[in-house]
Amino acid sequence: MTENTGARYGGAPASRGRTTVADVVVEKIAGMAARDVRGVHALGSGLARSMGTMRERMPGAGSGRSATRGVSVEVGEKQAAIDLEIVVDYGVSITDVAGEVRENVISAVERMAGREVVEVNIMVSDVKLPDEEDEGEERQRIQ
């Protein structure tokens, strides 16, 4: 009986071929991982969130774009660098939230995309105050 180790066909199946991960995939993973952190109210600046809300209401125009709002990445064959723009809830420690976001994003991207994350840069662009309405809530009331 002959054992099929894959050597006869050019190596193990996992080593046959190449896997490419698109930037948008890493953007979505990083965006979802950042949103999962307690104290992160939203991603993106106020203007980006407003434009995104309008775009999402147009049929066929939203298509997952909100998952990548406030996220930009550079992805290579083995590494990734990530920039995030976040809005935090009032009262949370910004440094603690930023640290948790970094940990969550690095863990998710390295596990799911198989890329070493060399840096996660975070810019806090706003603080959501308890008495402020979200742009989306205000627009729904006005309609």
Side-chain angles (χ1 to χ4, degrees):
M1 181 170 164
T2 306
E3 183 176 312
N4 183 2
T5 61
R8 176 174 140 181
Y9 299 105
S15 66
R16 293 186 213 165
R18 194 173 127 178
T19 302
T20 304
V21 178
D23 290 5
V24 70
V25 173
V26 176
E27 285 176 352
K28 287 182 178 183
I29 293 169
M32 294 303 293
R35 282 180 180 81
D36 284 345
V37 174
R38 190 180 136 308
V40 173
H41 179 74
L43 269 65
S45 65
L47 178 61
R49 290 192 325 271
S50 296
M51 295 303 289
T53 301
M54 288 175 21
R55 187 175 34 249
E56 287 167 3
R57 291 176 184 212
M58 295 169 54
S63 64
R65 194 58 203 146
S66 63
T68 61
R69 186 180 311 129
V71 182
S72 65
V73 301
E74 291 180 39
V75 181
E77 285 190 33
K78 297 181 181 183
Q79 297 179 324
I82 301 165
D83 294 325
L84 299 168
E85 185 175 354
I86 67 172
V87 177
V88 297
D89 292 321
Y90 176 79
V92 299
S93 166
I94 292 173
T95 54
D96 289 349
V97 169
E100 289 179 43
V101 166
R102 274 191 190 90
E103 286 180 29
N104 216 28
V105 167
I106 290 170
S107 174
V109 170
E110 289 183 347
R111 179 177 48 84
M112 295 176 70
R115 300 297 185 267
E116 175 192 8
V117 178
V118 294
E119 65 182 7
V120 176
N121 300 309
I122 299 172
M123 204 251 304
V124 179
S125 62
D126 202 357
V127 174
K128 168 68 169 73
L129 300 175
D131 59 344
E132 286 180 330
E133 288 185 357
D134 283 335
E135 287 85 7
E137 292 173 7
E138 189 175 311
R139 284 191 215 320
Q140 288 176 356
R141 193 182 73 208
I142 293 173
Q143 291 180 5

